Amino acid sequence: MNIVKASLQNAVRRMWKFALALFLCGAGLAVLTNVYDAAATVERMGAAGEVTESGDAPPTEEGMEAMARAALMLFFVGVLNLFFGFGTVLFAFLAPGGMVANERGSAAIMLWAQHPMRLSTFYMRRYAGVQIATLGAMLVFGLTAAVAALPPEASPATAVGGVASTCLVGMIACAVSFAISALGVRRAALFGLVYYLPSPPLARLLELSEVSPSTVAELARTILPFAIFPLNAIEGLAGGLESGAAWDWGGTGMILYHFALWTGVAWLGLRRIDGRPLKL
């Protein structure tokens, strides 16, 4: 059987339960956000709180019950949003399954080393299958997120941008996890998350530093985008899909750089074990 196809099928068998759980979580979030106007509820709760604090009207029992129900519903929406948002990223990091490091540590890699194909080529083909599976899952998650998060009047370009953003985050996360595993590090998904988690606050910090003319801020804007997960670049590319928006060529290049970087790191790690599959 074709190695890419076999790897794709194996990834589906390993991850389908997690993918289904995430999809159901996203579908529930989509139902709640479309049936229940969370933004309007927050505004009503804020207005009711202001009236209560001013003392113009004492809170009624019915009003307190309505606010409690609204707060509970907002809590459920927040929990679902948290699990779905973080779960999609976690799914991409888990997709490679630590295939290189785990098989090297258990000596299962020797089964593949007996094949005339180079180990580096063999694992890169398996990686291609995992990336295809990841892209398919991210496409489904992105469409679900678009239904859940975007208002009905949102433009198609906005929905496409959201789906593209989800897919790009997933593909780069998968590349990071596979590269770490190819270097022989077990629990690659955990180390990938450790790399990813500081990136959102650092990306926000970079946005805030754009108004600062200091040398430190300029240095951070120059170096950090090449080192952290490219969330700003992905947002810029997604925004470029909007009608009339200028295409962010710099962000596009940064995304390609990160994908090529981590794929190159994986290739170098695999070439290192070509002649010495087992740890000495």
Side-chain angles (χ1 to χ4, degrees):
M1 182 183 292
N2 181 275
I3 296 175
V4 176
K5 182 178 179 181
S7 178
L8 169 62
Q9 292 175 348
N10 180 62
V12 172
R13 284 194 298 269
R14 286 191 302 107
M15 302 295 290
W16 74 268
K17 292 181 181 179
F18 190 14
L20 179 61
L22 283 176
F23 172 74
L24 293 177
C25 184
L29 182 63
V31 170
L32 286 178
T33 53
N34 282 273
V35 172
Y36 188 77
D37 192 345
T41 301
V42 172
E43 293 180 0
R44 289 197 300 269
M45 291 179 65
E50 292 177 359
V51 171
T52 301
E53 290 180 359
S54 65
D56 295 338
T60 62
E61 184 176 348
E62 292 79 3
M64 295 296 293
E65 291 179 356
M67 289 185 66
R69 287 195 299 270
L72 183 62
M73 186 61 68
L74 289 175
F75 172 77
F76 281 131
V77 170
V79 169
L80 283 176
N81 188 53
L82 176 64
F83 277 112
F84 183 64
F86 181 74
T88 55
V89 177
L90 179 61
F91 178 93
F93 279 112
L94 289 172
M99 65 173 76
V100 183
N102 292 347
E103 292 178 1
R104 192 180 181 202
S106 65
I109 196 173
M110 293 305 296
L111 295 174
W112 315 126
Q114 298 173 24
H115 196 277
M117 182 184 298
R118 295 178 68 94
L119 282 172
S120 54
T121 304
F122 173 76
Y123 275 110
M124 288 302 290
R125 291 187 181 183
R126 288 180 64 184
Y127 166 62
V130 172
Q131 275 287 19
I132 293 172
T134 302
L135 178 59
M138 291 297 125
L139 183 61
V140 174
F141 297 154
L143 290 170
T144 306
V147 173
L150 297 178
E153 64 272 11
S155 66
T158 303
V160 171
V163 175
S165 176
T166 302
C167 291
L168 289 172
V169 168
M171 293 183 68
I172 295 178
C174 179
V176 170
S177 183
F178 178 74
I180 295 173
S181 178
L183 293 175
V185 180
R186 306 190 77 169
R187 297 181 178 83
L190 175 61
F191 285 96
L193 280 174
V194 171
Y195 164 71
Y196 172 83
L197 289 177
S199 296
L202 287 175
R204 190 60 56 193
L205 185 63
L206 282 176
E207 292 180 359
L208 296 176
S209 70
E210 291 180 359
V211 299
S212 174
S214 68
T215 305
V216 175
E218 181 64 29
L219 187 63
R221 289 194 298 269
T222 303
I223 297 177
L224 275 183
F226 292 92
I228 65 175
F229 202 93
L231 293 175
N232 282 348
I234 291 173
E235 289 181 4
L237 187 144
L241 296 173
E242 291 286 349
S243 178
W247 187 261
D248 186 1
W249 290 105
T252 304
M254 187 61 65
I255 293 170
L256 293 175
Y257 156 79
H258 278 274
F259 190 80
L261 170 68
W262 290 105
T263 302
V265 169
W267 174 255
L268 292 176
L270 292 173
R271 290 302 299 267
R272 185 174 62 88
I273 67 173
D274 262 332
R276 192 179 62 180
L278 292 181
K279 294 181 179 179
L280 299 180

